Amino acid sequence: MIMLDAEAVAARLPWDALEQALRAMFLDGCSAPLRHRHGLADGTLLLMPAWTAGGHTGVKIVHVMPGNTALRLPSVHAAYLLSDGNTGQPLAMLDGGALTDRRTAGASVLAAGYLARPDSRRLLILGAGRVAHALAEAYAHRFDLTDIALWSPSGTSARRLAASLAATGLPARAVASSDPTGHDIVAAATLSTTPLITADAVAPGTHIDLIGAFRPDMREADAALLARATLVVDTRAGAMAEAGDILQAIAEGAITAAHVVAELADLCRATHPGRRTAQEITIFKSVGWAGEDLAAAILAVTPVDKSVGEV
């Protein structure tokens, strides 16, 4: 069994290959139950299994431990175990954080290829954590961006991330406001429980990428914006169980479940056209699908690069 740390995982998941692997998984499908959530004395244990018939099995194990902040440790730790689906033999243990960051950004950009305007040049990212870093890199790889604006509540983390991205040659800068005016794509990766993006502030033609609200009590966009937009989700099952933006908009009577016009798989299979006009507002809402983790893990170890070795 090989062991891949965060650096090795990132190196084995280049954006083009990752997007192709994710598209193939959405096209072909896999068995992926909704994530298991278990309360611990001081946190939460999440389990995300997925498997393909005669192929691979995988499970992501996530510990969310808020008390770690006082210990100066990350509050989230994750690992991914990939096994042979026929024999059950463990094949690899991968850093779950890096795997999640890359596959999350990869799925967003895969969806944006169908939903954002091809001439999109200006990106606004709300949030400045690890997922935001991956989003900036993935979007810059997929679109010819001239501006990457970064916002965070305090501003400190946005300035730090902007400096890091700019040092690699990306056109990144920190901004003081979360106002989406003037941006072609707005990607939100926060833990907000109140809307950061409102319908009255979003111009026609904008693509909105909602990533952070992965619990029913969280939201990054208001109900009016969802009602105004073409709404696509990663999976209906996940969205209807966990997507706070959608569940709260339904509870408020702004939309019904039927307002979700497609899953990402429908775009990949061309059973939904994606963006239809330049003036259309589009939204991709994701809560994470275990099939994405499985696709990324398989890509990371196939073929195994012996030069990387074990860590």
Side-chain angles (χ1 to χ4, degrees):
M1 182 173 71
I2 64 171
M3 306 285 286
L4 300 177
D5 64 7
E7 183 178 356
V9 169
R12 290 166 176 247
L13 298 177
W15 295 117
D16 285 339
L18 178 57
E19 185 174 339
Q20 293 173 12
L22 292 171
R23 180 182 288 108
M25 185 62 77
F26 276 102
L27 281 170
D28 298 337
C30 70
S31 297
L34 290 176
R35 75 186 93 205
H36 302 250
R37 185 183 299 269
H38 303 278
L40 305 176
D42 298 310
T44 304
L45 172 64
L46 303 175
L47 304 175
M48 295 179 66
W51 61 92
T52 57
H56 295 83
T57 68
V59 59
K60 186 164 68 177
I61 306 165
V62 184
H63 284 85
V64 183
M65 312 297 288
N68 282 3
T69 302
L71 303 175
R72 296 185 179 181
L73 293 172
S75 58
V76 178
H77 290 280
Y80 195 88
L81 176 63
L82 182 71
S83 301
D84 184 290
N86 292 306
T87 66
Q89 179 182 2
L91 300 175
M93 182 69 76
L94 302 88
D95 182 276
L99 187 79
T100 301
D101 298 343
R102 300 287 286 193
R103 66 83 157 154
T104 299
S108 285
V109 171
L110 174 60
Y114 298 101
L115 296 171
R117 299 194 327 272
D119 63 347
S120 294
R121 297 290 181 267
R122 297 159 297 178
L123 170 67
L124 170 65
I125 300 177
L126 307 182
R130 297 191 320 182
V131 172
H133 192 149
L135 286 167
E137 291 185 349
Y139 271 109
H141 185 83
R142 184 65 168 76
F143 294 88
D144 186 16
L145 298 180
T146 59
D147 183 36
I148 301 174
L150 298 156
W151 174 88
S152 64
S154 69
T156 302
S157 55
R159 289 190 292 272
R160 185 182 304 117
L161 178 55
S164 175
L165 293 169
T168 67
L170 294 179
R173 61 189 177 94
V175 294
S177 172
S178 61
D179 184 358
T181 301
H183 300 283
D184 304 308
I185 300 172
V186 181
T190 74
L191 300 177
S192 179
T193 56
T194 58
L196 299 172
I197 313 168
T198 58
D200 58 355
V202 175
T206 306
H207 172 59
I208 307 293
D209 182 14
L210 300 176
I211 300 161
F214 52 86
R215 296 198 316 255
D217 63 325
M218 301 167 71
R219 70 193 309 185
E220 296 176 310
D222 67 1
L225 177 57
L226 268 65
R228 185 181 169 195
T230 297
L231 178 59
V232 176
V233 298
D234 50 358
T235 67
R236 289 182 189 275
M240 291 305 145
E242 299 178 325
D245 300 281
I246 295 175
L247 295 176
Q248 292 182 55
I250 291 174
E252 293 166 5
I255 63 172
T256 67
H259 190 69
V260 176
V261 299
E263 297 179 302
L264 182 49
D266 297 316
L267 303 185
C268 295
R269 296 167 182 161
T271 55
H272 187 280
R275 173 175 290 273
R276 289 160 291 193
T277 71
Q279 297 300 303
E280 188 177 2
I281 294 175
T282 56
I283 292 178
F284 176 61
K285 173 58 199 164
S286 64
V287 294
W289 179 50
E292 298 167 15
D293 296 304
L294 181 61
I298 294 171
L299 174 62
V301 302
T302 309
V304 174
D305 182 356
K306 299 298 184 180
S307 68
V308 175
E310 299 184 6
V311 295

